[in-house]
């Protein structure tokens, strides 16, 4: 965790130092330091400092620095000299903090390097100090099947829901489930039949995404001739089918704003609606009873989905997703952090304690606009109200180059570390690169290289990832005959990717 905070902090400073708006940088060459691996531990995990020039120099650059911190140079880690040389025409050089294993319990210790002087008229940049933390490696936590319920939002969850949490947590150590939103009902080129992933791979996705939007719509009057009610029946049937196939279900909720019940995008709402919608559904708000009616509808659906085995269908509920953006009325521009937290906590407790819904896991899912643990947790309602730590991320995968892919991986590392610390499940809850033939082209290697590496590198552990839906003219997952089909097949056949045909019995706890 400290590694990621330090990397994000120093990376941010480095980008700032390279701004073209700074006249000093246009004329001077700077050297900066970053803790590129900021956390090390006994016995075999080492740290790393990287020294970087803003421009290459035609001769070697010598950098002198001071080493400090609570760890002892040459005793707690192998001796590091007080200077290094970046070779001519080279932008960076790294040094390793190699931890020396011992039997003494010392707690966390630090190694800090402060830049002092250089040659070649190279100037010390603003990122002139970096720290690596050394720690004894704690004994790995092992989640017991019998104690899993203790770490869940609802300790009274159904056995199948508890098993889902446990098995997803265990699976995430070595694999991730590949899913798609509306996979049974929305197809590229309107080619109905099996899911598009089934058409391409021979297997359904391992996870099905659905939405409570039509189900909770004001126009759903519950009659068989009503279009909204028909959608409700289709969505429920799909979720039951997915459960019977051993797949995982997840529901988002594009809830309409509570005044007119028409829109969820702020671009279509009045200023009054944007400013008041969320506050109005809080306890004592003008639309609080209206909101409770919507939660009652969700509870009714949750308690009506029964599989062939006679059990309630467990599902992951992901309300108020992408709340760190401004495109939804529950976004950060339209409520305070405390208002959002209050709404989340009320939603969970009302469904769990009042309506007694026991087949839900709750997923917390901002967009990708965070770069540190603190930013991710800025609207976090607490461990007692969250089972899954997710994020939606389209931006970093939108053909932005390697730096954006690295950023996606770093954010998933943040989720991974939080999930380990808090006994939660990490997930990429929504993502894809939209391909509309005739308007844009697939990215070469997008699935098997760009996406897979971001989901796997640097010890990332996520339980699942979900592609968004395919539509008439646009796809997130290719169908047979597309130029990216072979790339997708390589992606799903890689060691960590799991479709429905490779899922273990996810609804049964091991004995």
């Amino acid at each position: 965790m400290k590694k990621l905070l330090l990397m994000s902090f120093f990376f941010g400073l480095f980008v700032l130092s390279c701004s073209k708006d700074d006249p000093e940088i246009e004329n001077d060459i700077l050297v900066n330091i970053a803790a590129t691996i900021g956390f090390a531990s006994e016995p075999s995990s080492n740290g790393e400092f990287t020294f970087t020039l803003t421009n290459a120099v035609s001769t070697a650059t010598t950098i002198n620095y001071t080493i400090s911190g609570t760890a002892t140079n040459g005793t707690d880690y192998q001796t590091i000299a007080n200077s290094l040389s970046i070779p001519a025409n080279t932008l960076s050089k790294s040094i390793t903090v190699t931890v020396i294993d011992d039997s003494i319990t010392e707690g966390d210790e630090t190694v800090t390097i402060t830049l002092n002087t250089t040659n070649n008229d190279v100037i010390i940049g603003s990122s002139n100090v970096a720290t690596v933390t050394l720690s004894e490696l704690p004994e790995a936590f092992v989640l017991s099947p019998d104690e899993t319920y203790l770490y869940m939002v609802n300790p009274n969850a159904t056995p199948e829901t508890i098993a889902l949490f446990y098995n997803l947590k265990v699976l995430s150590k070595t694999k991730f489930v590949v899913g798609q939103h509306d996979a049974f009902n929305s197809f590229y080129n309107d080619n109905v039949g099996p899911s598009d992933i089934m058409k391409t791979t021979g297997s359904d996705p391992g996870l099905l995404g659905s939405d409570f939007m039509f189900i909770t719509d004001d126009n759903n009057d519950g009659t068989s001739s009503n279009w909204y009610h028909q959608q409700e029946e289709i969505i429920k049937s799909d979720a039951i089918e997915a459960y019977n196939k051993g797949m995982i279900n997840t529901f988002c909720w594009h809830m309409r704003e509570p005044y007119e019940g028409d829109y969820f995008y702020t671009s279509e709402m009045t200023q009054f609606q944007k400013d008041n919608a969320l506050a109005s559904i809080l306890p004592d708000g003008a639309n609080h009873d209206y909101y409770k009616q919507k939660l009652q509808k969700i509870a009714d659906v949750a308690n009506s989905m029964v599989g062939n085995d006679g059990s309630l269908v467990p599902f992951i509920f992901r309300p108020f997703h992408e709340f760190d953006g401004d495109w939804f009325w529950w976004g950060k521009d339209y409520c305070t952090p405390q208002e959002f937290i209050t709404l989340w906590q009320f939603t969970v407790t009302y469904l769990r304690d009042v309506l007694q819904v026991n087949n839900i896991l709750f997923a917390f899912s901002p967009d990708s606009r965070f770069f540190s643990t603190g930013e991710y947790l800025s609207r976090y309602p607490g461990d007692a109200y969250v089972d899954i730590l997710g994020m939606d991320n389209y931006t970093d995968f939108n053909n932005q180059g390697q730096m954006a892919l690295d950023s996606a991986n770093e954010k998933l590392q943040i989720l991974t570390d939080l999930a380990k610390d808090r006994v939660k499940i990490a997930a990429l809850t929504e993502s894809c690169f939209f391909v509309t033939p005739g308007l844009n082209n697939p990215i070469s290697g997008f699935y098997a290289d760009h996406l897979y590496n971001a989901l796997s590198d640097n010890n990332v552990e996520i339980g699942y990832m979900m592609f968004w839906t395919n539509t008439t003219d646009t796809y997130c997952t290719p169908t047979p005959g597309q130029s990216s089909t072979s790339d997708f097949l390589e992606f799903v056949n890689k060691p960590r990717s799991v479709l429905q045909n490779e899922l273990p019995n996810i609804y049964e706890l091991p004995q």
Side-chain angles (χ1 to χ4, degrees):
M1 189 62 58
K2 294 168 185 171
K3 163 188 168 183
L4 294 170
L5 286 168
L6 286 165
M7 287 178 68
S8 296
F9 174 70
F10 287 112
F11 176 74
L13 287 176
F14 176 72
V15 170
L16 181 62
S17 74
C18 292
S19 170
K20 293 182 180 178
D21 296 329
D22 187 340
E24 177 184 325
I25 307 251
E26 295 179 358
N27 301 312
D28 296 323
I29 298 175
L30 309 182
V31 61
N32 293 283
I33 184 172
T36 41
I37 302 179
F39 185 83
S41 60
E42 299 177 11
S44 59
S45 176
N46 298 320
E48 181 183 76
F49 292 103
T50 298
F51 302 76
T52 304
L53 298 173
T54 54
N55 286 292
V57 181
S58 59
T59 58
T61 301
T62 300
I63 304 166
N64 302 302
Y65 47 83
T66 301
I67 303 172
S68 59
T70 57
T72 302
N73 194 0
T75 300
D76 295 308
Y77 54 94
Q78 291 182 9
T79 301
I80 296 175
N82 288 93
S83 65
L84 64 68
S85 179
I86 298 180
N89 302 311
T90 303
L91 282 175
S92 66
K93 185 173 182 179
S94 298
I95 58 174
T96 300
V97 182
T98 303
V99 182
I100 297 175
D101 193 13
D102 58 40
S103 59
I104 303 171
T105 301
E106 300 165 296
D108 285 356
E109 297 178 294
T110 58
V111 184
T112 299
I113 289 183
T114 304
L115 305 185
N116 293 330
T117 60
T118 70
N119 67 339
N120 290 338
D121 295 322
V122 171
I123 297 172
I124 304 297
S126 58
S127 297
N128 63 334
V129 180
T131 298
V132 168
T133 299
L134 314 184
S135 175
E136 276 109 14
L137 191 64
E139 183 178 349
F141 172 81
V142 178
L143 181 63
S144 163
D146 294 339
E147 295 181 348
T148 297
Y149 73 96
L150 297 173
Y151 298 95
M152 296 171 57
V153 169
N154 187 352
N156 297 313
T158 65
E160 293 76 20
T161 308
I162 295 172
L164 174 59
F165 182 99
Y166 173 83
N167 287 312
L168 257 184
K169 178 68 175 172
V170 172
L171 187 74
S172 68
K173 294 182 179 298
T174 56
K175 299 179 183 295
F176 56 82
V177 180
V178 177
Q180 184 158 31
H181 187 82
D182 208 13
F184 293 169
N185 264 295
S186 193
F187 312 99
Y188 179 59
N189 282 338
D190 293 329
N191 185 11
V192 299
S195 67
D196 281 352
I197 288 182
M198 169 70 84
K199 296 184 185 86
T200 303
T201 69
S203 171
D204 276 316
L207 174 143
L208 175 67
S210 301
D211 197 333
F212 280 116
M213 175 175 60
F214 294 143
I215 293 173
T216 61
D217 195 283
D218 290 349
N219 294 305
N220 185 353
D221 64 10
T223 61
S224 59
S225 60
N226 178 268
W227 184 87
Y228 292 90
H229 183 68
Q230 292 169 3
Q231 302 313 302
E232 175 185 338
E233 292 302 305
I234 292 170
I235 292 167
K236 286 165 53 178
S237 176
D238 288 346
I240 293 168
E241 178 186 350
Y243 173 74
N244 290 335
K245 289 181 174 180
M247 297 165 59
I248 300 163
N249 281 289
T250 180
F251 279 75
C252 63
W253 190 14
H254 289 91
M255 182 186 174
R256 316 288 191 178
E257 58 81 22
Y259 285 99
E260 299 296 333
D262 290 331
Y263 308 113
F264 51 83
Y265 283 127
T266 53
S267 59
E268 300 172 296
M269 294 167 56
T270 68
Q271 191 62 48
F272 174 84
Q273 290 169 336
K274 289 187 283 190
D275 292 341
N276 293 279
L278 188 137
S280 78
I281 64 174
L282 295 175
D284 298 326
N287 293 311
H288 184 60
D289 287 341
Y290 172 90
Y291 183 60
K292 290 196 291 185
Q293 292 171 9
K294 300 304 179 186
L295 293 180
Q296 179 67 64
K297 183 63 179 177
I298 289 174
D300 292 343
V301 169
N303 288 322
S304 67
M305 295 191 299
V306 179
N308 289 341
D309 59 2
S311 300
L312 290 173
V313 174
F315 64 92
I316 298 164
F317 184 30
R318 184 168 58 99
F320 308 115
H321 64 297
E322 299 175 12
F323 55 82
D324 50 345
D326 59 2
W327 47 93
F328 296 136
W329 57 263
W330 53 84
K332 64 179 179 62
D333 287 359
Y334 309 109
C335 63
T336 66
Q338 187 54 55
E339 285 175 330
F340 183 85
I341 289 169
T342 298
L343 175 60
W344 185 284
Q345 292 177 346
F346 173 81
T347 302
V348 170
T349 55
Y350 194 73
L351 286 169
R352 181 191 63 196
D353 303 337
V354 178
L355 302 180
Q356 297 188 337
V357 182
N358 296 319
N359 52 332
I360 296 179
L361 299 179
F362 292 90
F364 178 81
S365 179
D367 192 53
S368 58
R369 298 186 171 197
F370 64 92
F371 298 92
S372 69
T373 302
E375 288 179 302
Y376 182 82
L377 296 175
S378 63
R379 294 183 176 230
Y380 186 65
D383 291 344
Y385 302 92
V386 174
D387 294 299
I388 293 168
L389 299 166
M391 75 164 172
D392 293 4
N393 193 342
Y394 294 90
T395 303
D396 291 332
F397 296 107
N398 191 28
N399 206 15
Q400 302 299 305
Q402 189 60 47
M403 185 176 292
L405 296 173
D406 291 343
S407 179
N409 179 258
E410 290 173 9
K411 293 165 190 173
L412 290 169
Q413 291 175 54
I414 291 175
L415 300 192
T416 296
D417 290 343
L418 283 170
K420 289 179 179 179
D421 291 344
R422 296 162 185 259
V423 195
K424 305 297 178 185
I425 299 160
L428 178 60
T429 43
E430 232 183 82
S431 185
C432 77
F433 176 71
F434 295 100
V435 178
T436 305
L439 291 181
N440 69 334
N441 297 315
I443 302 169
S444 178
F446 172 77
Y447 299 103
D449 295 328
H450 297 184
L451 182 61
Y452 186 84
N453 292 343
L455 301 181
S456 305
D457 286 353
N458 297 307
N459 301 311
V460 163
E461 296 179 6
I462 61 169
Y464 65 91
M465 66 80 53
M466 187 179 77
F467 292 103
W468 195 241
T469 184
N470 285 358
T471 60
T472 300
D473 59 358
T474 299
Y475 66 81
C476 294
T477 61
T479 52
Q482 300 297 326
S483 60
S484 56
T485 301
S486 60
D487 179 28
F488 186 76
L489 286 169
E490 185 180 350
F491 168 76
V492 298
N493 285 314
K494 289 217 166 190
R496 296 184 75 92
S497 305
V498 176
L499 295 176
Q500 178 268 336
N501 62 345
E502 294 179 321
L503 272 176
N505 187 347
I506 206 121
Y507 295 110
E508 183 176 327
L509 283 172
Q511 300 298 316

